[in-house]
Amino acid sequence: MPFTPPVAEQRFVLDTVAGLADLAATDRFAAASDDVVDAVLEGAGQFAAGEWEPLAAIGDAVGARWTPDGVTMPDGYAAAYRAYVEGGWGTIGAPEAWGGQGLPFAIQTAVLETLGTANTGFALCPTLTVGAIEALAHHGSQAQQSLYLPRLATGEWTGTMNLTEPQAGSDVGALRATATPNGDGTWSIRGTKIFISFGDHDMADNIVHLVLARTPDAPAGTRGISLFLVPKFRLDAEGNPAEANDIRTVSIEHKMGLHISPTCVLSFGDHGGCVGELIGPEHGGMRAMFTMMNNARLNVGLQGVQVAEGATQKAVAYALDRVQGARDGAPAPIAQHPDVRRMLMRMRAQTDAARALVYYAAGQVDRAALGDAAARDRLEVMTPLAKAHATDLGCEVASLGIQVHGGMGYVEETGAARFLRDARITPIYEGTNGIQAADLVGRKLALSGGTAIATLIADMRAEAEHPALVQLIDLSEAVARHLAAAAPDDRLAGSYPFLTMLSVAACGWLMERQGRTAPDDDFGATKRAVTAFYLDQIVPEAHGLHAAATAPAAGLYAVDVARLG
């Protein structure tokens, strides 16, 4: 089944949820005219369907391969990546000062969705580069920006983020990589980093690694961490890649999914010749890295949308084609059977809900960039919701897609299983979804004196009409108040159910808005039907999370954990 870019859906959600017209009315985003946006969405769809989607199966089956000289990609990938660069698709949201088009982040989000639905693992490469651009644009020196941003903006060079070490996963403060001053303004980098997505490949002339490391006599924990720019190849006097920078790809991981994305173990400075540059002030690494991390978290939430859209399209096509059983005395495709129809409706509703949540957060990124303080607070709240809930939904929808296919879904030749294998990492990396929930109740509940979440709830309540949605908003507010006053362990025990409740409420709010404004045509009729399903059947499920969200932590510690095994 060929991939069909959901251009009409993307445009509708950009308009009704991200508020694209308001953004285009500003000087900064004046280039986002209707004709430009339509051309970008249509062009990205044609490019992704024609160049990237045909490579998805071989990327999954063959994957990236390690050699002693570095990582090689399967046939066709280098050419497809060059086509991406030459087509200007990396420049969509990059700053105009560095060769980008300066369009809203929300439009860049739609382009990345299309690329990732066509080939999820492949799209990780430009996604990581977007994060590197953000970090350098906000924290890099003028010299670093002028040397690196123009080529990162086009995608000619790619970027990575290097946090994790064998002993330091979620506990970033435990990292041991070191940076020693060379006396000329550069630093000697030593250490090992693991789980580095696209840490090496043969598609670009250079790879720009952003590496967290400790300087001499740095304070313990996260306060002593600095961020360094460490290119795969050092630059010559003309700013071109030249001498190799003593970075060795030790191995790549053999993974459940995302086989085309090389997940590398990188060793820096084995021979004492790895040179890096400090980004921002010494010991300011966490602040700079969180600029990149928060961008990445939204784009991981977007991966949930990507796999959900791909799985839904494949399941609908199969259900329309597969004849099994009868309806009204005649053989019928399985799409006509109520339980299959239930799964297909749920898949579409959850996919649309995830997209609305992520696009709404993307719109807040653009408003925050315009200096809107309220949007900055709203983005702080929406980031854990978009990252965690959209990736949970990606896994759910991909699993349902296998179920629709029946036994053939468990057979690799249909391609249905790939979506679930690719999706399963998304609730884990860039901060596990449990960490997102802890962030929600640990930092975001108290943000701006508690008004950040309070204003979100007030905005949802002001628009909500469906009784089940109104009730869920009320329950979410009650849980927020309960958790704000709870002991730390009790707050954390209820954090994940609360995150899901608040996410479903936000999705219901945005879906209901779409249902009200949908046009009077086939697209609008489908949108209204899917919205009704979400409000009638999915929103009420979240009511039942109230008990778990308010249950004390004592029940989790009522038995020795060893007895649970």
Side-chain angles (χ1 to χ4, degrees):
M1 179 208 76
F3 159 60
T4 303
V7 173
E9 172 71 13
Q10 290 174 329
R11 183 59 200 258
F12 182 70
V13 179
L14 284 170
D15 289 340
T16 59
V17 170
L20 188 58
D22 291 340
L23 296 175
T26 67
D27 290 341
R28 176 164 178 168
F29 297 125
S33 60
D34 286 346
D35 57 338
V36 168
V37 174
D38 290 341
V40 167
L41 297 181
E42 291 284 351
Q46 292 170 10
F47 172 77
E51 299 282 349
W52 280 32
E53 195 275 338
L55 296 172
I58 188 174
D60 183 52
V62 176
R65 292 185 172 180
W66 179 89
T67 76
D69 297 321
V71 175
T72 61
M73 302 290 279
D75 290 345
Y77 272 84
Y81 187 77
R82 283 196 302 274
Y84 163 84
V85 173
E86 291 165 2
W89 298 111
T91 67
I92 297 296
E96 290 180 271
W98 310 117
Q101 298 183 45
L103 292 171
F105 180 78
I107 297 176
Q108 179 177 271
T109 296
V111 170
L112 282 175
E113 181 204 334
T114 299
L115 293 170
T117 304
N119 197 323
T120 305
F122 195 15
L124 259 180
C125 187
T127 296
L128 289 160
T129 303
V130 166
I133 292 169
E134 280 289 300
L136 283 174
H138 285 88
H139 304 285
S141 68
Q142 187 172 6
Q144 289 167 345
Q145 291 172 350
S146 62
L147 278 172
Y148 289 94
L149 283 180
R151 280 152 144 178
L152 287 170
T154 62
E156 181 182 352
W157 296 349
T158 65
T160 73
M161 55 194 302
N162 290 250
L163 291 78
T164 308
E165 298 180 8
Q167 79 293 337
S170 298
D171 182 10
V172 179
L175 68 82
R176 297 173 185 160
T178 62
T180 306
N182 290 325
D184 61 356
T186 66
W187 299 73
S188 178
I189 310 297
R190 286 181 180 268
T192 299
K193 298 291 184 178
I194 64 172
F195 297 155
I196 309 307
S197 298
F198 275 95
D200 192 40
H201 58 82
D202 58 357
M203 301 186 301
D205 292 336
N206 211 353
I207 301 173
V208 182
H209 301 292
L210 300 192
V211 182
L212 289 181
R214 293 191 179 283
T215 55
D217 303 319
T222 56
R223 293 187 303 114
I225 293 174
S226 301
L227 182 64
F228 295 87
L229 187 159
V230 187
K232 178 179 179 179
F233 296 102
R234 301 180 206 168
L235 306 188
D236 63 19
E238 286 72 43
N240 296 313
E243 182 181 0
N245 198 19
D246 194 12
I247 303 169
R248 181 169 60 96
T249 304
V250 178
S251 63
I252 61 174
E253 306 295 345
H254 300 278
K255 309 189 299 288
M256 177 180 179
L258 294 181
H259 295 154
I260 197 55
S261 170
T263 303
C264 301
V265 177
L266 297 181
S267 183
F268 296 85
D270 286 355
H271 305 290
C274 184
V275 178
E277 300 176 19
L278 184 65
I279 298 174
E282 191 173 350
H283 308 153
M286 289 306 295
R287 180 170 176 267
M289 186 56 77
F290 266 111
T291 299
M292 188 174 185
M293 180 74 80
N294 285 331
N295 178 289
R297 285 174 173 170
L298 292 183
N299 283 327
V300 171
L302 185 65
Q303 285 186 289
V305 181
Q306 294 164 6
V307 294
E309 179 64 38
T312 299
Q313 287 195 23
K314 184 172 284 291
V316 169
Y318 182 82
L320 290 170
D321 184 65
R322 171 65 167 160
V323 175
Q324 188 80 14
R327 293 277 292 172
D328 299 323
I334 62 172
Q336 296 301 321
H337 299 298
D339 187 58
V340 174
R341 186 64 68 90
R342 173 193 63 82
M343 289 189 285
L344 296 176
M345 283 289 284
R346 187 177 185 93
M347 292 175 74
R348 175 46 60 197
Q350 295 285 45
T351 300
D352 287 3
R355 180 181 289 109
L357 191 63
V358 174
Y359 278 40
Y360 179 78
Q364 300 307 305
V365 171
D366 291 319
R367 285 165 175 77
L370 292 169
D372 186 334
R376 282 196 293 270
D377 274 4
R378 181 61 54 86
L379 177 61
E380 287 280 323
V381 174
M382 298 306 298
T383 295
L385 306 188
K387 193 281 179 182
H389 193 60
T391 57
D392 282 347
L393 295 186
C395 290
E396 177 191 341
V397 172
S399 181
L400 282 171
I402 294 173
Q403 192 72 19
V404 169
H405 280 77
M408 289 304 296
Y410 202 66
V411 175
E412 288 292 350
E413 70 180 74
T414 64
R418 170 169 56 88
F419 293 106
L420 183 57
R421 289 190 286 99
D422 286 351
R424 192 58 189 86
I425 186 60
T426 59
I428 298 172
Y429 62 12
E430 303 307 339
T432 67
N433 286 1
I435 289 174
Q436 304 308 309
D439 175 55
L440 179 65
V441 302
R443 290 184 59 246
K444 306 307 168 58
L445 269 179
L447 184 64
S448 296
T451 62
I453 284 183
T455 55
L456 171 62
I457 289 172
D459 287 350
M460 293 192 295
R461 183 178 284 123
E463 276 191 71
E465 297 176 356
H466 194 284
L469 179 58
V470 173
Q471 184 180 353
L472 179 59
I473 293 168
D474 290 343
L475 287 170
S476 297
E477 182 179 43
V479 172
R481 290 175 176 169
H482 169 83
L483 294 178
D489 275 1
D490 292 341
R491 190 180 306 135
L492 289 170
S495 62
Y496 208 100
F498 173 60
L499 180 146
T500 304
M501 289 178 71
L502 190 62
S503 297
V504 175
C507 288
W509 167 51
L510 299 172
M511 291 284 283
E512 190 176 51
R513 180 189 297 177
Q514 293 178 71
R516 278 197 301 268
T517 57
D520 292 325
D521 55 16
D522 288 346
F523 174 89
T526 302
K527 177 62 69 176
R528 285 187 289 274
V530 170
T531 296
F533 181 91
Y534 190 88
L535 295 170
D536 291 343
Q537 299 198 32
I538 295 177
V539 167
E541 293 174 2
H543 296 174
L545 294 171
H546 179 272
T550 55
L556 306 178
Y557 295 87
V559 63
D560 186 336
V561 70
R563 297 179 65 105
L564 299 178

